[in-house]
Amino acid sequence: MIPLARPVIGEPEERAVLEVLRSRQLSLGPRLPAFEEAFAARVGARHASAVSSGTTALHLGLRAVGVSEGDEVVSSPFSFVASANVILYERAKPVFADIDPVTLNLDPEAAAAAITGRTSALLPVHIFGYPADLPAFEAHGLPIVEDACEALGAVHAGGTPVGGRGHPAAFAFYANKQLTTGEGGMLVMGSAEHKVGVDSERNQGRAPDMDWLDHDRLGFNYRLDDIACALGLAQLERLDAMLAGRARAAGWYREALAGMDLQLPCADTGGNVRGWFVFVVQLPRGVDRDATVVALRERGVQSKPYLPAIHLMSFYRERFGHRPGEFPVCEDVAERSLALPFFPEITEAQVAEVAEALQSALK
Ligand SMILES: Cc1ncc(COP(=O)(O)O)c(C=O)c1O
């Protein structure tokens, strides 16, 4: 079976993890600041705080910009559910707006129309690693928290890496991501004040100069341990090669799928550069996607509908009364999207096998 995702793990990762085990300093040790500093440098951010997941990074990012009960946060319905859930953690309301049919990112005009007097922040998502149109969102003067969980390696028009524009931006290190620590995440940010608050809140609300018996604010246990940080550091060393492997695979897919009736991921335009994360195609309207997944599996190929529209998930329907038809572009894309096997070490022969399997599944 050709799997959907497969992390690159080798001798450097094994050595890095063993070193931590042998040091006996498994948490709050030297790898934590080392990983944060190396990661911040990589994305051109002033500060970074390593946390337990992309979700917890987003949560602390929203708290940093002051999102609180009763606020509205405008975001994309075409994302992983975590980017909306974190808004609810603070008893604020996710307000969705439709997406751009080409980039699949939050449509700036639709987002602008969704802003009200209660909007306290915008949460654009760099979906599938394609840079969201940040200048358009920045024009509103509202705080921005970026969901960059899928976008490590992406670059905005003008050359700034995604994560380097000064807003709190969340990255995720789950095993399918461009860089993995097993589970893990990173919040990068431009503000030193935010960094102090985030570091405290991830560690139960304790300030760095405080005795462990006292805590001066509400906090969480969102820490990332030193084993994960060591893994992350080893992965950072080979990040360029892993990103290049994904980009190469994307090129093979483009060629192999060229003659088929599929919508492929948009090409880089206007100076934006995608940080390749997944290879998601949109099937023609009317094709039975579930049957396609089964047919692919029978031919030895894993695939997955990716992503479902958040507003149509049962929890969001029940809680907010969302119904089909509200965000037609998102719903159309969500109904037809299919993720194909995609990882740095996939071979050209495997890509050809996936393409053949898809062609015969669609017949
Ligand atoms: C767009 C997006 N947002 C948020 C997350 C949440 O990250 P994590 O699974 O590390 O909590 C993910 C990762 O799956 C994601 O793809």
Side-chain angles (χ1 to χ4, degrees):
M1 186 71 79
I2 305 178
L4 258 182
R6 190 167 188 274
V8 181
I9 298 290
E11 207 264 324
E13 285 79 8
E14 291 173 7
R15 192 167 2 103
V17 167
L18 262 179
E19 268 173 26
V20 181
L21 293 178
R22 288 179 179 143
S23 78
R24 305 292 191 271
Q25 189 147 19
L26 305 192
S27 54
L28 295 175
R31 272 87 180 172
L32 174 65
F35 184 35
E36 291 174 338
E37 282 159 28
F39 192 89
R42 170 75 207 206
V43 303
R46 283 227 175 90
H47 308 284
S49 297
V51 290
S52 54
S53 69
T55 306
T56 56
L58 281 169
H59 184 200
L60 295 186
L62 285 180
R63 288 176 62 88
V65 303
V67 168
S68 60
E69 183 159 7
D71 290 354
E72 293 179 359
V73 177
V74 175
S75 192
S76 172
F78 190 63
S79 176
F80 184 61
V81 68
S83 61
N85 284 347
V86 292
I87 299 168
L88 293 172
Y89 293 174
E90 288 303 311
R91 299 180 190 279
K93 183 182 177 192
V95 173
F96 298 117
D98 213 345
I99 60 168
D100 180 280
V102 176
T103 66
L104 312 185
N105 280 325
L106 187 59
D107 175 354
E109 274 184 33
I115 292 172
T116 73
R118 286 187 299 279
T119 307
S120 67
L122 308 178
L123 200 167
V125 182
H126 306 282
I127 203 69
F128 302 161
Y130 196 80
D133 186 357
L134 269 252
F137 298 120
E138 286 161 354
H140 299 289
L142 286 161
I144 290 175
V145 175
E146 299 175 46
D147 183 337
C149 287
E150 301 190 351
L152 182 55
V155 183
H156 289 286
T160 306
V162 163
R165 293 183 77 90
H167 312 291
F171 291 86
F173 307 139
Y174 182 68
N176 65 344
K177 296 295 192 290
Q178 288 94 333
L179 176 157
T180 186
T181 58
E183 296 281 358
M186 188 77 77
L187 188 72
V188 301
M189 63 219 109
S191 157
E193 204 183 316
H194 284 170
K195 162 81 176 155
V196 172
V198 168
D199 283 356
S200 169
E201 291 190 358
R202 78 170 164 197
N203 190 23
Q204 308 286 13
R206 192 173 93 194
D209 53 356
M210 275 180 121
D211 191 86
W212 74 275
L213 289 172
D214 197 16
H215 295 73
D216 66 354
R217 70 187 90 194
L218 176 68
F220 309 87
N221 179 358
Y222 284 175
R223 294 186 302 264
L224 189 68
D225 66 53
D226 263 44
I227 303 169
C229 289
L231 195 47
L233 276 166
Q235 290 262 290
L236 258 187
E237 292 277 317
R238 56 158 106 224
L239 180 62
D240 283 327
M242 293 193 294
L243 289 170
R246 286 183 193 259
R248 184 183 56 208
W252 290 333
Y253 267 122
R254 274 198 200 293
E255 280 178 28
L257 302 176
M260 294 169 61
D261 182 17
L262 296 168
Q263 191 172 323
L264 304 184
C266 72
D268 292 344
T269 52
N272 291 296
V273 181
R274 187 191 297 270
W276 279 100
F277 165 53
V278 280
F279 199 89
V280 174
V281 300
Q282 289 167 54
L283 301 178
R285 291 185 184 84
V287 166
D288 183 339
R289 183 175 54 179
D290 292 343
T292 308
V293 170
V294 172
L296 284 173
R297 196 187 308 133
E298 283 164 359
R299 290 164 174 81
V301 173
Q302 254 189 3
S303 66
K304 185 166 91 173
Y306 192 76
L307 291 151
I310 298 175
H311 66 289
L312 296 182
M313 292 188 170
S314 44
F315 171 73
Y316 280 85
R317 283 193 201 218
E318 280 159 30
R319 178 88 172 250
F320 297 104
H322 289 299
R323 290 289 171 267
E326 266 180 276
F327 307 109
V329 180
C330 166
E331 291 165 26
D332 176 53
V333 171
E335 273 172 19
R336 299 189 291 122
S337 293
L338 190 68
L340 301 177
F342 193 68
F343 44 92
E345 292 174 331
I346 194 168
T347 65
E348 192 170 9
Q350 285 176 314
V351 168
E353 207 179 313
V354 175
E356 269 173 43
L358 187 55
Q359 187 145 41
S360 74
L362 289 175
K363 264 194 194 134

